[in-house]
Amino acid sequence: QVDENHFDYMDLFDLQMVSNPEISPDGNTIIYERHQFDVMTDRRLVNLWQISFDGKDHYPITSGTKNYGNVSWSPQGDKFAFTSNQDGSNQLYVYWVKSKTTAALTNFTESPGNISWSPDGSQLLFSKFVSELSKAVKPGIPAPPTGAQWEKEADVIDKAVYRRDGGGYVQDGYSHLFIISAEGGTARQLTSGSHQYGSPSWAPDGKHILYTVNKSKNAELDPNNEQIFQQNIITGEVEQLSKERGPFNSPKISPDGKYIAYTGFKDRFVGYQLTQLYLMDRDNKQVEVLSNNFTQDISSITWSKDSKSIYFRFDEEGNSKVGNIDLKGNSTTVAENLGSASIGRPYGGGSYSVSDKGNLAFSHVTTSTPSELAVLGRKSNSQPKLLTSLNENLLKSKKTGNVEEFWVDSSVDGFKVQGWIITPPNFDPSKKYPMILEIHGGPYTNYGSRFSPELQFIASRGYVVVYTNPRGSTSYGEDFAAYINHNYPSEDYNDLMDATEYVVDQGYVDENNLFITGGSGGGVLTAWSIGKTDRFKAAVVAKPVINWYSFVLTADGSPFFSKYWFKDKPWESPEDYLKYSPISLVGNVKTPTMLLTGQEDYRTPMSETEQYYSALKLQGIDAVMVRIAGSGHGIAGKPSNLFRKVGYITNWFNKYKD
Ligand SMILES: CSCC[C@H](NC=O)C(=O)N[C@@H](CO)C(=O)O
């Protein structure tokens, strides 16, 4: 039973979260997305709000039950573009600031995205899916007689990646680039051919655009090979700018037109490599790695208006931050605690936007507050200021669990492992609590100091929740994450057990009531752990990989996983695949185990869950399989499924708790 003053399921519908703030070029106005969840339709609603940099003039641009996003200011700041499904399907709109009027620019059958303004604010560049007639085989059978009720046509698949988690079965076609006048009219397609075009941006001359495309012979089987191209939009002339083996992404030309910044790495074909920042001189095409002295992955790059530095996003020790790097490679941290509008587990996320003068707007989270809007002035001694407090009343009336950070020394080697403990609301350290170790997926990602409704719901049910970043996690430099390249799971298991020991040693955890769970990569590590130890009273293995051989042949990223996560194809080294598969340890398992997976999970398909379930049953282990309806890999995508996930996990553990 959850105390009525504790943060619980239905409170989720009162939460409002800030996401994707976009600051106007003059730095005076911010448009941000406000996210909330609709109890009747079980889905996320997103509206646009406007607020001045000084926190005044706060009012809605849109309201209601449609969704809005992808806001992009014109360089002059007189209008902004966005996408919305307000008239049915997702289309491109422009809002004019002076007249406060909006017009739909498009009426496409496919959604436009990746919007970029021409430097003079007259045109918009965007990407859109263009379908292609399938060249696959036809059955050549007679047409049914009029009125006959024959079964519908078969689906014929000839693509290597034929379904995507969250997107369903893949339609034949490619993402292409278009331009359209900001005042509407017909859009013009700029790219063609059987390639996926992405990351479009304009050069300051308004005549050239940059983009990324993987033009390798069989791009499907050669993922991660995006290269940077430049195209003259008047003559159609195309030039490949990056020369080495990619992936290279997000090209952005400096406002003075002299340089191109982009992210990526020279591929070594392993699970994890550090994503670096590259700088190309546009005259002589010389390239240097600007971030050679920087130890974290670089993403979301934006040039400063004076072309002297580049802003970027990075994660460090489980904290998402904004950095700035000058053209000599000297970097500083500009803002911390970026956060997303997620209601699931405490993964990284969040975004920032910077004005021409260097004023910053970003989405800000802490361990106890969901994402709010923060700003930071351009002066070096400025302090971040929160402009919204959308959840103040809710969090005053509902208690959440306290979150405390800890570090442990690895029992294996010199690594230090970071973790967090959530204690239940009204925690009393003189009592003994059951503990749940909750393990993140990825595995190349990180948990951190971020508010997590999912883990708070568990804490409200009286459990101490422990989450950590074992080796393989990002945000601690390349060696820490790359340790598990072609070596997963391995000593990440020891890191998890070291963290468990640390928390048990604090004295308030009941040693006889330790539980373990995790999703995706966390499901791998949960199944691996119960094959190695009987320490945990019960386990929930959520959306796991159990058998790498079958996984790389059924997951939506088959060409990627088989090429980057293993040295050989499964049939070339089956022993390597089995060695790292939790199925190889199932004979040791004694722990009662629940499996829990979305019915439409195409990332870690249900067949992985089913194999483990049958193996546990054959072993005579107490096991149940929970198949979540209407869910892909992201179970927390719908509030009701998030509640079910927490409810099934905690009730399974309650069954075994003393
Ligand atoms: C272990 S197989 C790949 C699973 C997946 N990785 C990328 O999609 C995963 O672990 N997902 C995590 C977070 O990205 C999750 O918690 O779902």
Side-chain angles (χ1 to χ4, degrees), residues 165 345 347 438-445 447 488 518-524 543-545 548 551 555-556 561 565 601 603-604 633-635 645:
D165 187 67
R345 297 178 286 156
Y347 285 121
E438 207 287 337
I439 308 168
H440 79 64
Y444 305 110
T445 181
Y447 273 167
Y488 169 63
S520 197
V524 173
K543 49 180 185 176
V545 175
W548 290 111
F551 168 75
D556 60 354
F561 290 122
W565 286 18
D601 191 331
R603 179 63 41 81
T604 51
H633 197 61
I635 297 174
K645 182 180 178 195

Side-chain angles (χ1 to χ4, degrees), residues 196-210:
Q196 309 283 5
Y197 290 82
S199 290
S201 66
W202 291 84
D205 65 7
K207 289 189 191 123
H208 292 90
I209 58 166
L210 296 185

Side-chain angles (χ1 to χ4, degrees), residues 526-566:
T526 303
W528 190 259
S529 298
I530 58 174
K532 294 243 169 211
T533 175
D534 301 331
R535 187 102 211 259
F536 299 95
K537 264 214 145 147
V540 177
V541 174
K543 49 180 185 176
V545 175
I546 289 304
N547 177 350
W548 290 111
Y549 197 125
S550 52
F551 168 75
V552 302
L553 300 177
T554 52
D556 60 354
S558 197
F560 173 81
F561 290 122
S562 58
K563 189 168 184 165
Y564 286 85
W565 286 18
F566 289 88

